[in-house]
Amino acid sequence: MIQISHLTKLYDGKPVVDDVSLTVERGQIAALVGTSGSGKTTLLRMINRLVTPSSGQVLIDGQDTAAIAPHLLRRRIGYAIQGHGLFPHRTVGQNIATVPRLLRWSADDIRARVDELLTLFQLDPDAFRDRMPHELSGGQQQRIGVARALAAKPDLLLMDEPFGALDPVIRAKAQADLRQIQRQLGTTLVLVTHDMAEAILLGDRIAVMDRGKLVQYAPPADILRAPATPFVEALIGPDMRPFHLLSLTPAFQIATEGHAIGAPIPREATLRDALAECLWSGRDALPVEGGGVVTLAALRQRAAP
Amino acid sequence: MTARLDRPGLLFALIGLVGLVLPLVQFKANRIVPGDGVSMALPLAGLLALILLGGCLRWSHGLRLAAALAGLGTVIAALGGTARALMADGPALARVAPAAGFWLLLLAFALMLTDAVTRLRPALHWRWLMLAGAIALVAMVLSTGWLDQVSVMREYAARRDAFLREGVAHLYLAFGSLGLALMIGLPLGVAIHQAPSARGPVLSVLNILQTIPSLALFGIMIPIFGWIAANVPGAAQAGIAGIGVFPALVALFLYSLLPVVSNTLTGLSGVSPATQEAAIGLGLTRFQRLTWVLVPLALPVLLAAIRIVLVQNIGLAVIAGLIGGGGFGTFVFQGLNQTAMDLVLLGALPTIGLALVAGIALDLLVQTLNHTTPRPA
């Protein structure tokens, strides 16, 4: 669990992060959203003390981070950034092994951990362990960057626009994989993004930052239904609200008894996918794999606040 | 027509043919007076002309390499042979010095050789072997004594011990100043990388140092170090003096600082911000970031600096001869004073050879390192 209390960062007397307090529960994903210059990245970087707070506290599992030497603190916190930042002169395996080496794990443990992570990220250890970063595709480099951040089994992972450099197709896959791996490992995750859709997709809670202040911190559904300020509303994009709302719920959750014709949609398809399929195929109801139907009327009801 | 001819080959042939027309050697009554030109024996000249003209054709690279080697061998053999023939019935004081014809032919075939090697694109280990082979070949030719009657070798024979001594002194000056520059310059480069506000002043000072002509720098140092040696207790015992090895070493060191410091800075600055950010974020200490990430990534640029400095200092060390610092420059300046060009050559030729070998060896080293630690394109 991370507790951020009254955290402020001043640059030349001007607050970049202004008295922010928020708590991220263990195993949850908090997405920090805002325009550039909103202070979201500075807030993230104060958690692992890449930026020293001007005032306020960050507690990780009750421990004040100011009391730990910064480099030791950072070895306990995973950190992944846009453009991955892999060491170009070290192999994939050596990159992933960075923090375990700093923590003086045994060579056997490190080798086992590297292979375990490569497998987790769907990369064949024998094929990838000894490759150099420049031999990989952008999506693979990004995965190695996250694997490196997770190498020493941190309880907390910080990510700064981790998918910013990926093209849309690879990004969607990377987001889905991250969500799955995070659930599997139970890692607490704080993620910075400027993309509200990404925040809604990944965040258990979304923290909206505006000019250094935290203007709303709530689950995605609450942010969508009741944006706290016009800025939050603008960030969501009023035209996108119903679709974002629909994207939060999988189809099987609102499936009801009934009969519908045509091809069924997968259980895990979101209501947004279901709406798109209804409109595209001209149907009023869709069968859901595994039983039940989703009706256009039910979708309409779910798309309103 | 020209499309079927090899253009570099044409150029080499042109240079070589001019060389064939000019005299191969100068036959002089003694080492100071100008002499008469003597041309190469006709059969040998014909052979060389054939090789040169053949080089204009679209030969395979391997054949081109063999032809260049044969040409070089023939020119050297002709030089030694002509010198032997002339000296056999000449007076003891007479000298046979290589003349314009020899130098042009040497140039033509050396160009042909490097051109052939470049086109062959040999693997790295082959190029290392070629360098070693070339050194061994030169040593072998000199040790056979075939060239002993050539003027430069006569000068060498008269100064065998001095030559060895000055050679060691030359290497000491070049490598010593490089070592000093690395000892001071690397930390300085790292320091100004970490403290950007110091970059401007430090680099300005080094730039100014670099622009001082070498002769002027020696001139400035003579009174300064002379005064220190005379007035600071213990300074003279420590080797500080206005003339000699000490000021020469200091001057070469000062000239080396700018390339070392600026390349260190360039190399370190070339490391991508994302890589550095990741290194900090993963919990590397400042020292670990330097040794694990920054220095390995900057290494090719650092080696380039070492190459620049070493080649530059091997050349500049000649000037040390002027202020009693030793090195091959001693022969150059003695020769200039006596108007004995053969003696000048005795200093100049090994200097050129050293610089060439050092430059090629370090180029190969840089490539070998780039080979083992690939960098993003």
Side-chain angles (χ1 to χ4, degrees), chain B residues 195 240 330:
Chain B
I240 296 179
T330 313

Side-chain angles (χ1 to χ4, degrees), chain A residues 45 50 74-75 79 89 148, chain B residues 274 277-278 280 283 288 292:
Chain A
R45 290 160 59 94
L50 284 173
R74 289 175 200 138
R75 290 174 194 177
Y79 185 58
H89 60 305
R148 182 176 65 177
Chain B
E277 161 108 5
I280 305 171
Q288 284 165 337
W292 285 33

